[in-house]
Amino acid sequence: METNFIHHQSAHCENGVASNLLKHRGINISEPMVFGIGSGILFFYLPLLKVNHAPAISYRPMPGFIFNRAAKRLGIKVKRIKFSNEKSAQIALEENLKNNIPTGLQVGVYHLTYFPDEYRFHFNAHNLVVYGKKDNHFLISDPVMETVTTLTEAELEKVRFAKGALAPKGQMYFPIHIPTDIDWEGAIKKGIKNTCREMLAPVPIVGVKGIRTVAKNIPKWANKKGNKIANHYLAQMVRMQEEIGTGGGGFRFIYAAFLQEAAPILKNEQLYELSKEMTRIGDLWRDFAVNASRVYKNRSSQTDVYNSLSKELLHIADLEENFFKMLKKAI
């Protein structure tokens, strides 16, 4: 069982899977366009929910939201199925492959044997495509990898039914309806408006206000819990930003590329300038990650490091607030 699926590498797993599955169905849509239409930029801070013994910080919506939003706005129907047991999950996947249907899966990262050891930890919202089976090995297109790979039946079963937060429960998904005509302009505008609404939300744990809340809490972590715990929180924040979710600088660069693609479709020159500004903000997120990593690795030469990081993040929040207000006005 092997489909004529073509692997394309991407920066982020869910965008990449969505783009690759839709390209297979004849829609030439890039990763940035999926991301922008699907309103992939988000920030929320849930201090009462702990991930790896640190407050939950996310730079993106819940798993599946980006593809679902993009599909809905493009008029595409996507089928998602979860399973109560491993056997029924494997039967359903193999049936898809027999019918020449490459299939997206949500999986756990920890037991992905082709991942480098430093990237294998307990995170259950990774996405990949299974596009065939040969000699009892499933053929895998993981969009964050340069080339295709394989997993045995047992290995794939293990990652499909990983335990813990966001347990995938064997989830698989694939497009079942592609419209003959797509309103690209309408889909892009809906995606941008939704992103602006969420990033400018008037609550202290979401969007720009959520970034400010975290910024103000960084010195408090050190004062109330000590440097060791504060450094662990910073390490988890950077991991979520740059390794798991691509959510700091990486997402900003993808969004900048989306605005560049959207500008000629919407005939809006202002989006080019906003794209440049988003790239600049992405650079500042990367700088913040580097400076934070120096702190938690005890390699920083700065004094008053926690207040310095706080001010750095507050500056990013100010720039993002101004950016999303301008973007909202532009469309």
Side-chain angles (χ1 to χ4, degrees), residues 22 40 45 94 119 163 188 221 272:
L22 295 179
Y45 171 60
E94 293 198 3
Y119 288 100
K163 307 300 181 185
I188 289 169
W221 294 339
Y272 286 116

Side-chain angles (χ1 to χ4, degrees), residues 21-22 25 31 35 40 50 65 73 91 99 122 140 146 150 161 202 246-247 251 280 284 286 294 303 315 323:
L21 288 178
L22 295 179
R25 293 295 301 271
E31 175 188 10
F35 183 71
K50 295 294 189 290
F65 273 38
R73 290 163 187 166
I91 290 172
N99 292 321
H122 295 287
I140 307 296
E146 187 175 354
T150 64
F161 285 87
T246 322
F251 270 2
R280 188 167 78 90
L284 294 177
R286 285 280 157 89
R294 286 176 178 148
T303 57
H315 178 56
F323 170 85

Side-chain angles (χ1 to χ4, degrees), residues 100-126:
N100 196 35
I101 303 173
T103 303
L105 300 182
Q106 181 183 328
V107 301
V109 166
Y110 188 75
H111 294 291
L112 281 178
T113 52
Y114 56 83
F115 261 32
D117 288 344
E118 59 268 25
Y119 288 100
R120 291 171 61 184
F121 51 95
H122 295 287
F123 177 70
N124 292 329
H126 189 61

Side-chain angles (χ1 to χ4, degrees), residues 1 83 87-101 103 130 132-134 136-138 153 156 160 172:
M1 296 179 288
F83 301 90
K87 185 177 180 180
S88 59
Q90 178 157 323
I91 290 172
L93 176 59
E94 293 198 3
E95 189 65 26
N96 265 16
L97 299 178
K98 288 177 184 176
N99 292 321
N100 196 35
I101 303 173
T103 303
V130 178
K133 188 179 183 185
K134 187 176 182 180
N136 292 320
H137 282 70
F138 285 99
E153 293 179 1
L156 186 61
R160 291 185 75 186
M172 67 183 215

Side-chain angles (χ1 to χ4, degrees), residues 168-181:
K169 299 179 181 178
Q171 181 175 175
M172 67 183 215
Y173 56 92
F174 48 97
I176 57 173
H177 170 74
I178 305 293
T180 53
D181 295 306

Side-chain angles (χ1 to χ4, degrees), residues 32-84:
M33 191 59 69
V34 168
F35 183 71
I37 292 175
S39 302
I41 282 187
L42 180 64
F43 185 94
F44 68 83
Y45 171 60
L46 295 176
L48 297 180
L49 176 64
K50 295 294 189 290
V51 177
N52 292 327
H53 308 289
I57 296 174
S58 180
Y59 301 81
R60 52 155 296 161
M62 289 291 287
F65 273 38
I66 296 174
F67 193 9
N68 285 349
R69 285 169 168 176
K72 184 177 180 181
R73 290 163 187 166
L74 293 167
I76 297 163
K77 291 182 180 177
V78 176
K79 186 173 185 178
R80 290 183 178 269
I81 315 169
K82 291 185 178 181
F83 301 90
S84 58

